[in-house]
Amino acid sequence: MKVACVGGGPASLYFSILMKRVDPSHEITVYERYPAGATYGWGVTYWEELFDYLHEVDPESARAIGESSVRWDSWVVHVQDRATVVVEHGDEGFGVGRRRMLDILAARATELGVRIEYEREITAETEFPDADLVVAADGINSVLRERDSGHYGTEVSVGRNMYMWLGTTKALDAFTFAFTETPHGWIWGYGYGYDPGHSTFIVECAPETWRGLELDTASEADGLAKLEKLFAEVLDGHPLLTRSEGGGSARWLNFRTLTNRRWYRGNVVLLGDAAHTTHYSIGAGTALALGDAAYLVDALHAEPDLERALARYERERRAAIRVSQRAARNSSRWYENVPRYIDLPPKQMVALLNERHSRLLPLLPPRLYYFLGRSAQNLSLLAARLIPGGRRPISE
């Protein structure tokens, strides 16, 4: 196949790698509108399950990503000066610099024969008249998708809370949450390391708190100074940073959840954030982008007819991400209702933070949900001891 990939992010690059591994005769070009290395963002997260999968399908790039990653297996939750709760989470998590990941994937793709053109802006699929397939992996503001948003059935819902994606020179050795009370309400940060000297630090709050703290009108320097003071305990004297290596200044945003009823038209197919977005609080964006790439490659090589292949990709991948999308919606709503949980005893609050993906949690009083969960856990442990040869939870 002759393939044009629009957008030089993880989804596009990994798709090109997997396509070449399956069949080196594919002719693939990736078009990226920014210069090489000019990426936005700080670090990205992924989890042990994804890491194992990457090793299976392309061990060379997985090895390089693993060697560049920071690892953790616990959470640390700071709740003002009330308590610091450490949670041994069980699943091993990883953080890696976004620029470093893109460099690794671009180098691997080039090694396999993929052509990458930087500083090349694409505005229409008609620029590729001889392409068998055009992959629109150009992000949430996809130009190719927006040219025909009516066909794709694009819908965007805007979250209530304000957030800002920052960095810091504080090297966090666990996935860290920090909740700080102000006279105008609660503000919180999520932080995780991604190289030995840097961490991502995302700050979020309700719009009333954002305005009350005058973060809506503060200059960049004044806003950072205010946030550094609010999160002084976690940052331990380290600064917050607004500019990543690739340039660009951080700004306050509302998260946009994007969905599409259709993921392809003719020989154009949507991939990654161009097809769907999920709230950052579940840490699944990179995993979903790489998963999209794998599903599309599988479909293209399982079905000789392009229409049938793209229909299969849309059908199977949409079903596969449904759980993650639901978890992301529930997680974002949990944070939009922080006051509902924050006054619980710290261990209970942290337990419900861990349960924020639940569909049932918003429907029950928080204390009731917590004690029901504890009771179910205790019953499962009791059953494992009393039922001969049985170690399965009683709910099974």
Side-chain angles (χ1 to χ4, degrees):
M1 296 183 73
K2 185 170 185 177
V3 183
C5 298
V6 181
S12 191
L13 291 171
Y14 208 63
F15 166 79
S16 68
I17 290 169
L18 298 186
M19 284 288 281
K20 279 289 194 177
R21 282 185 60 90
V22 172
D23 187 345
S25 69
H26 291 310
E27 183 182 338
I28 304 173
T29 305
V30 175
Y31 300 90
E32 169 55 48
R33 63 174 175 164
Y34 294 115
T39 184
Y40 66 90
W42 301 92
V44 297
T45 58
Y46 62 98
W47 305 94
E48 189 171 16
E49 182 180 1
L50 176 66
F51 191 50
D52 292 342
Y53 172 76
L54 297 182
H55 268 284
E56 289 179 15
V57 297
D58 188 51
E60 290 81 2
S61 59
R63 191 178 305 115
I65 290 170
E67 289 170 354
S68 300
S69 297
V70 172
R71 306 183 181 205
W72 66 84
D73 59 6
S74 61
W75 286 1
V76 176
V77 184
H78 301 269
V79 186
Q80 190 76 345
D81 54 359
R82 301 181 194 174
T84 298
V85 180
V86 178
V87 180
E88 299 299 331
H89 201 257
D91 296 331
E92 189 171 26
F94 302 81
V96 63
R98 179 177 170 83
R99 177 174 177 178
R100 178 60 183 147
M101 172 176 267
L102 291 179
D103 286 346
I104 290 169
L105 295 180
R108 177 62 174 149
T110 301
E111 177 187 345
L112 292 171
V114 177
R115 183 181 173 198
I116 304 176
E117 289 194 17
Y118 292 102
E119 299 184 72
R120 174 74 185 277
E121 185 149 11
I122 304 300
T123 59
E125 64 272 18
T126 53
E127 296 183 43
F128 312 111
D130 57 346
D132 299 303
L133 179 68
V134 178
V135 177
D138 49 345
I140 187 172
N141 297 314
S142 170
V143 173
L144 298 190
R145 187 199 64 233
E146 285 303 297
R147 279 173 53 84
D148 199 0
S149 58
H151 166 78
Y152 293 109
T154 305
E155 295 183 359
V156 177
S157 63
V158 179
R160 182 174 184 273
N161 284 356
M162 307 301 301
Y163 76 97
M164 182 184 281
W165 206 285
L166 300 168
T168 177
T169 55
K170 169 67 176 179
L172 298 167
D173 57 7
F175 199 106
T176 302
F177 300 83
F179 293 84
T180 300
E181 189 174 19
T182 79
H184 307 285
W186 287 84
I187 188 169
W188 53 92
Y190 324 73
Y192 52 88
Y194 66 85
D195 71 28
H198 294 89
S199 299
T200 298
F201 199 79
I202 306 166
V203 178
E204 182 178 345
C205 62
E208 298 84 4
T209 304
W210 178 63
R211 289 189 292 268
L213 292 172
E214 299 182 342
L215 293 169
D216 58 331
T217 57
S219 67
E220 181 177 291
D222 290 345
L224 285 185
K226 189 167 292 189
L227 293 175
E228 287 166 356
K229 184 176 180 180
L230 289 169
F231 296 107
E233 180 182 359
V234 173
L235 295 174
D236 193 26
H238 287 263
L240 288 171
L241 309 172
T242 63
R243 298 177 189 271
S244 62
E245 293 176 277
S249 183
R251 55 196 176 96
W252 289 99
L253 301 167
N254 299 93
F255 188 80
R256 293 180 293 158
T257 299
L258 177 140
T259 59
N260 290 281
R261 290 195 302 274
R262 297 291 302 277
W263 288 12
Y264 69 96
R265 180 170 189 175
N267 70 336
V268 180
V269 63
L270 306 180
L271 199 68
D273 283 355
H276 54 82
T277 62
T278 54
H279 195 261
Y280 52 82
S281 63
I282 68 168
T286 300
L288 291 175
L290 302 186
D292 285 359
Y295 268 74
L296 181 55
V297 171
D298 285 347
L300 289 169
H301 291 92
E303 300 283 355
D305 178 75
L306 182 62
E307 167 73 22
R308 290 174 58 186
L310 298 184
R312 176 173 178 163
Y313 158 69
E314 177 189 291
R315 180 179 64 253
E316 294 185 352
R317 187 56 179 157
R318 188 194 297 279
I321 68 171
R322 196 165 289 135
V323 172
S324 294
Q325 290 178 317
R326 183 168 57 239
R329 286 194 298 271
N330 292 333
S331 180
S332 65
R333 288 168 186 159
W334 193 96
Y335 287 108
E336 289 177 353
N337 290 281
V338 160
R340 187 172 189 257
Y341 308 103
I342 199 70
D343 289 328
L344 294 170
K347 287 187 177 180
Q348 292 184 23
M349 179 266 185
V350 171
L352 297 188
L353 171 64
N354 195 35
E355 288 288 316
R356 66 190 184 277
H357 302 169
S358 168
R359 286 181 290 177
L360 184 59
L361 178 56
L363 305 178
L364 293 176
R367 289 179 186 272
L368 176 60
Y369 183 97
Y370 173 80
F371 285 112
L372 287 175
R374 293 286 296 175
S375 298
Q377 184 180 33
N378 291 336
L379 284 171
S380 295
L381 294 173
L382 180 61
R385 294 180 179 180
L386 296 181
I387 299 173
R391 296 189 61 83
R392 296 177 181 273
I394 195 168
S395 60
E396 293 185 9

